[in-house]
Amino acid sequence: MEELKNLKQDNFLWYNAYNSNDLPQLFDLYNIDLVGILSIWPETFSYVLSEIMALNIPIMCFNMGAQGERVAKYTAMIAKEMGYDEETVEKYYRIGLLHDVGKVGIPKAVLNKPGKLTDEEYDVIKEHTTKGHEVLKDISAVPELAVGALSHHERHDGKGYPNGLSGNDIPEVARIIAVADSFDAMYSDRQYRKQMDFEKVLSIIREVSGTQLNPEVVDAFFRLVDKGEIRAVEARETAGNESLPD
């Protein structure tokens, strides 16, 4: 076990999953830094994630960064509000957590560009959906992981990407992630702009309901707003009373 402790460095798991019988112990000891694993060993990522799912590792062990955690939490909250059972809510949380995993394959110069993207750069950004699908498609324990990564930028009116799906042809979990991700994208600091005003964000979400976003999911989102479960909060605080890690 002492050797395992030496495998952690700078919050990444410097660990070759193919050559170890100690995967469960490693998961028990540390936050599972999925981005770190994908960055260092892309060829082993599917194997590692399969093991995570097979071992039923607690979802809070995943480390996908604050943005992934926020979107996952909003996804789960909306799914619960829509009446999904506990098992599905848990599954949708995991899918939401990994929805942007394909961005690891996008050049940082494009991903972190502070100014407006060119058309060519935007096309590169859009590739994160197919890259995420490619990474996750072989995870048989939760097949919908790949679906969430692939389809969360589809639009209700069919004008999204990558496949131009519309309405109920968009997978259910992707419809929910789309609302959760849209809210978080506007109500948090990004490279290209500061966090928007809460009421302004709500106004935009109402405006795009039925075009960009699924109206039933938007209705569930606003029920949470009305109940105060999603609300205007201080920086780094999320819905409810829990704070997010840096």
Side-chain angles (χ1 to χ4, degrees):
M1 296 299 289
E2 189 62 33
E3 291 181 3
L4 286 176
K5 292 179 181 179
N6 294 330
L7 291 170
K8 189 178 181 187
Q9 178 179 341
D10 298 331
N11 295 321
F12 286 95
L13 298 179
W14 304 92
Y15 182 74
N16 190 333
Y18 280 132
N19 298 323
S20 175
N21 295 318
D22 294 318
L23 201 56
Q25 292 94 319
L26 187 71
F27 289 163
D28 287 342
L29 279 174
Y30 301 122
N31 254 359
I32 301 166
D33 192 334
L34 296 178
V35 171
I37 294 171
L38 180 57
S39 300
I40 301 163
W41 293 299
E43 71 279 4
T44 70
F45 184 82
S46 293
Y47 168 77
V48 172
L49 196 54
S50 293
E51 289 296 302
I52 291 170
M53 297 304 175
L55 291 166
N56 196 28
I57 300 297
I59 55 178
M60 292 311 292
C61 289
F62 294 160
N63 178 8
M64 288 299 294
Q67 188 266 347
E69 292 181 24
R70 289 193 304 268
V71 171
K73 186 167 186 176
Y74 294 136
T75 296
M77 292 173 67
I78 295 169
K80 183 177 180 181
E81 179 63 29
M82 294 179 71
Y84 289 95
D85 59 56
E86 184 176 345
E87 181 179 350
T88 301
V89 170
E90 173 83 2
K91 179 173 66 174
Y92 282 9
Y93 181 100
R94 293 186 181 211
I95 296 169
L97 201 62
L98 294 168
H99 76 285
D100 266 349
V101 72
K103 286 185 176 177
V104 175
I106 304 300
K108 289 184 178 180
V110 176
L111 193 63
N112 298 326
K113 183 178 177 179
K116 184 178 180 181
L117 296 173
T118 66
D119 290 344
E120 292 78 12
E121 289 169 335
Y122 184 54
D123 286 340
V124 171
I125 288 286
K126 290 195 290 185
E127 292 176 5
H128 80 277
T129 56
T130 52
K131 288 179 182 292
H133 179 266
E134 185 64 24
V135 166
L136 300 173
K137 64 182 176 63
D138 295 324
I139 311 300
S140 58
V142 186
E144 289 170 276
L145 283 176
V147 171
L150 181 67
S151 300
H152 67 279
H153 282 291
E154 300 288 359
R155 291 174 48 123
H156 188 70
D157 60 10
K159 296 180 181 179
Y161 65 88
N163 295 316
L165 302 179
S166 63
N168 290 339
D169 289 336
I170 302 170
E172 292 177 345
V173 66
R175 295 176 228 161
I176 297 174
I177 293 173
V179 174
D181 194 32
S182 295
F183 173 71
D184 185 72
M186 292 185 283
Y187 199 52
S188 60
D189 289 340
R190 297 297 169 103
Q191 288 83 2
Y192 47 88
R193 58 152 174 74
K194 292 292 187 179
Q195 173 181 311
M196 296 173 62
D197 175 76
F198 183 71
E199 292 300 328
K200 176 65 174 176
V201 172
L202 298 187
S203 175
I204 293 172
I205 291 176
R206 286 193 185 95
E207 184 179 335
V208 300
S209 178
T211 52
Q212 179 178 338
L213 301 175
N214 181 281
E216 293 181 8
V217 181
V218 170
D219 286 347
F221 170 84
F222 275 105
R223 290 198 297 272
L224 292 169
V225 172
D226 291 342
K227 291 190 287 188
E229 295 182 31
I230 292 177
R231 63 183 187 275
V233 292
E234 298 297 327
R236 296 193 180 277
E237 186 183 351
T238 186
N241 295 318
E242 298 179 11
S243 60
L244 289 167
D246 291 340

